[in-house]
Amino acid sequence: YLSMKDAQQISVKNRINNTEVGVYIVVVMSFLIGALIIYNMSLINFKERKRVYATMLTLGMQETELGWASFAELVVQFVISMLVGGFASRGLGKLRSEMTSTASIYYTRAFSLSTMVMIGFCVGAFMVIGHLLALQQMKKIDIVEELKSKE
């Protein structure tokens, strides 16, 4: 009986360790996917507005001013999305926990100020990195080619 109990304890510990490794993999992959999504959004935004940027450069705006202007747009989008996401996550998280709660499983409350600060920091860092990488493309704008008539 005691040997079976020890084997069961070892089996449960292995399962818990495997679950923790799985959670770490999911967290790392979500960070990577988040960084790729924000980088792609920055590049798509840049490619859509290439002609506008070339016009601004022609009219005398410096590359640094243009970079700061596009970064200010990203910051406004970031603040709005954090506010909307913060308020929506409270309601959706409560709804999810009410729908999935059972008597045998206890769900801890995952939404807190520290969670929102950590999410904000990660998204902000991804946003800055994506913007800096997109700025490298801005330096390569060929003003003559961009301002040619598209017709």
Side-chain angles (χ1 to χ4, degrees):
Y1 173 74
L2 290 177
S3 64
M4 281 185 61
K5 189 174 180 182
D6 290 339
Q8 287 176 345
Q9 286 177 346
I10 291 171
S11 175
V12 168
K13 285 181 184 179
N14 287 338
R15 287 183 188 164
I16 290 173
N17 288 338
N18 289 340
T19 304
E20 287 179 0
V21 169
V23 168
Y24 289 133
I25 290 172
V26 168
V27 167
V28 168
M29 293 305 291
S30 64
F31 280 136
L32 291 176
I33 290 170
L36 286 175
I37 288 171
I38 291 176
Y39 173 65
N40 283 333
M41 286 174 41
S42 296
L43 281 181
I44 289 170
N45 185 28
F46 171 74
K47 287 185 180 187
E48 288 176 352
R49 300 179 73 189
K50 223 174 185 182
R51 187 176 175 97
V52 174
Y53 291 153
T55 305
M56 289 179 174
L57 288 172
T58 303
L59 294 175
M61 192 174 217
Q62 299 295 321
E63 285 181 3
T64 55
E65 293 172 331
L66 195 55
W68 282 111
S70 63
F71 184 71
E73 291 175 5
L74 282 176
V75 169
V76 169
Q77 292 171 358
F78 169 71
V79 169
I80 291 171
S81 64
M82 286 299 290
L83 290 174
V84 170
F87 290 117
S89 66
R90 281 187 164 192
L92 292 175
K94 184 178 178 185
L95 178 67
R96 183 204 52 89
S97 65
E98 288 174 357
M99 290 174 57
T100 58
S101 64
T102 62
S104 62
I105 300 172
Y106 177 73
Y107 293 98
T108 59
R109 183 171 176 237
F111 181 82
S112 66
L113 182 61
S114 63
T115 304
M116 286 303 289
V117 168
M118 184 178 67
I119 291 169
F121 175 76
C122 290
V123 172
F126 294 155
M127 181 182 69
V128 168
I129 292 168
H131 180 70
L132 290 175
L133 291 174
L135 278 180
Q136 299 304 317
Q137 298 293 322
M138 189 180 296
K139 292 179 181 177
K140 298 176 184 175
I141 291 179
D142 185 4
I143 296 172
V144 175
E145 288 295 321
E146 291 303 322
L147 295 179
K148 280 184 182 176
S149 176
K150 300 266 179 182
E151 302 159 358

